[in-house]
Amino acid sequence: MEKIQHSHVEVRGLKLHVAQLGSGDKVVVFLHGFPEIWYSWRHQLIAVANAGYRAIAIDFRGYGLSDQPPEPEKANFNDLVDDVVGLLDSLGINKAFLIGKDFGAFPAYMVAAVHPERVSGVITLGIPFMLPGHSAVQNQQLPQGFYITRWQEPGRAEADFGRFDAKAVVRNIYTLFSGSEVPIAAEDQEIMDLFDPSAPLPPWFSEEDLSVYASLYEKSGFRFALQVPYRTLNVDCGITEPSVKAPTLLIMGEKDYVRKFPGMEDYIRSGAMKHVVPDLDIIFMPEGSHFVQEQLPDQVNEFIITFLGKHSA
């Protein structure tokens, strides 16, 4: 970990925090989810660099050590797409593998669809091919207490999270969201109320890990995170006929709560994705939760490095 180099790179008027390890022409860019951050890829940065690649993990704009945009409420997923391409330009990188987890899968697929010449391959964890828009997540098929519905409501999550410090919010979400059930609150509950204070941290997530996350979210807060992904998840991204030609791997934990979203399991297993992502492989991890890259890093690293080796020129 101490060998990871940290810097800020100017991208589209903002300084984005970049963690890097390794060198060379073969580049892998890691895109985090929520409540994650560059540190979520700590195990993968080391493994991928050791395998001979230049490994890069960013904090998206508005997250962690990256700058906040001046008007967060005007941001959407297209900003993240432009940031990824801008980062490649700023670092002089022509082409890279993109690895996205949770909502980080959206910009990974979007960059591959809109800028195919910049993408060597795509790996996503926990989220199959989807684009932001009205069909992204079928909120209406889930109870009103569905966490995404709650967090999309202006002010509601701010009030919920505001009862706790950043460390407690991250602890609560990591513990709740590592389970296999979709987090849904009762009518008289908020999402943070679902957390059982006696519940331990997941065994693969240490107090030291929690402290790192807490320090980063203490700096950035949750304002931008609530905007992107949650409050722009249903905003159309303008990609009308998507096609991802790059080789793609989807890694899904069998115990990931996302599989219980309406229609998700059938979509993943039916082969429907192949219409848009023809060169697609899927790996199911029987014990995998929503945070597979932290929970089972050795297995995930092996899948990633095998894929990178197969598709590196």
Side-chain angles (χ1 to χ4, degrees):
M1 286 290 290
E2 63 275 5
K3 293 182 179 178
I4 296 173
Q5 297 177 327
H6 295 269
S7 62
H8 281 83
V9 177
E10 182 94 16
V11 177
R12 301 174 60 233
L14 298 177
K15 290 184 172 64
L16 299 187
H17 170 248
V18 176
Q20 296 191 66
L21 191 62
S23 60
D25 296 331
K26 297 183 293 184
V27 180
V28 182
V29 178
F30 294 92
L31 308 174
H32 66 79
F34 178 80
E36 297 162 298
I37 213 74
W38 78 266
Y39 184 80
S40 310
W41 300 109
R42 58 197 178 280
H43 306 296
Q44 286 69 45
L45 282 169
I46 294 167
V48 166
N50 286 344
Y53 298 84
R54 181 181 178 187
I56 298 170
I58 67 170
D59 288 344
F60 280 122
R61 59 169 55 208
Y63 282 81
L65 300 175
S66 290
D67 283 351
Q68 296 283 336
E71 297 180 285
E73 283 71 28
K74 292 186 177 179
N76 59 41
F77 276 96
N78 290 330
D79 288 303
L80 306 190
V81 171
D82 293 342
D83 284 352
V84 171
V85 175
L87 177 75
L88 297 179
D89 291 342
S90 294
L91 295 177
I93 296 167
N94 291 323
K95 204 168 186 178
F97 289 93
L98 302 180
I99 303 184
K101 158 73 173 51
D102 186 69
F103 84 80
F106 285 84
Y109 286 125
M110 291 167 71
V111 172
V114 178
H115 303 281
E117 74 285 355
R118 309 301 297 271
V119 179
S120 303
V122 177
I123 302 176
T124 64
L125 293 81
I127 299 289
F129 175 85
M130 288 192 292
L131 294 176
H134 293 297
S135 61
V137 176
Q138 302 296 315
N139 294 39
Q140 71 278 7
Q141 296 185 33
L142 285 160
Q144 282 294 309
F146 177 44
Y147 77 95
I148 290 179
T149 303
R150 287 290 178 87
W151 291 352
Q152 286 176 335
E153 183 180 332
R156 187 150 192 170
E158 287 88 339
D160 186 15
F161 292 2
R163 299 177 293 160
F164 307 93
D165 60 21
K167 187 173 188 176
V169 172
V170 173
R171 176 193 291 274
N172 295 1
I173 295 175
Y174 249 85
T175 306
L176 278 174
F177 286 57
S178 62
S180 60
E181 297 301 320
V182 179
I184 296 174
E187 190 175 338
D188 60 348
Q189 277 185 316
E190 299 302 327
I191 298 301
M192 292 296 101
D193 296 330
L194 296 173
F195 175 70
D196 177 359
S198 67
L201 283 171
W204 39 265
F205 193 75
S206 69
E207 287 288 347
E208 181 182 354
D209 295 331
L210 177 61
S211 294
V212 174
Y213 278 85
S215 68
L216 294 168
Y217 275 99
E218 280 165 4
K219 178 186 179 299
S220 66
F222 298 99
R223 181 180 176 186
F224 189 85
L226 290 168
Q227 176 69 10
V228 183
Y230 298 103
R231 292 172 187 165
T232 52
L233 190 58
N234 302 121
V235 176
D236 190 277
C237 64
I239 302 174
T240 53
E241 295 183 10
S243 178
V244 175
K245 296 293 196 298
T248 301
L249 174 65
L250 169 63
I251 300 173
M252 285 297 303
E254 295 271 18
K255 296 182 178 179
D256 187 334
Y257 70 86
V258 171
R259 290 176 58 239
K260 295 184 178 177
F261 283 15
M264 186 66 74
E265 183 73 358
D266 181 61
Y267 175 58
I268 292 170
R269 293 190 182 271
S270 67
M273 267 186 291
K274 291 251 185 183
H275 296 300
V276 181
V277 191
D279 191 358
L280 171 70
D281 289 318
I282 304 177
I283 294 174
F284 293 96
M285 301 182 68
E287 296 303 315
S289 71
H290 190 57
F291 302 101
V292 283
Q293 86 280 15
E294 296 179 272
Q295 175 198 10
L296 301 166
D298 292 345
Q299 292 178 51
V300 170
N301 292 348
E302 184 179 339
F303 297 145
I304 289 174
I305 290 165
T306 299
F307 177 89
L308 297 176
K310 182 179 176 182
H311 298 291
S312 293

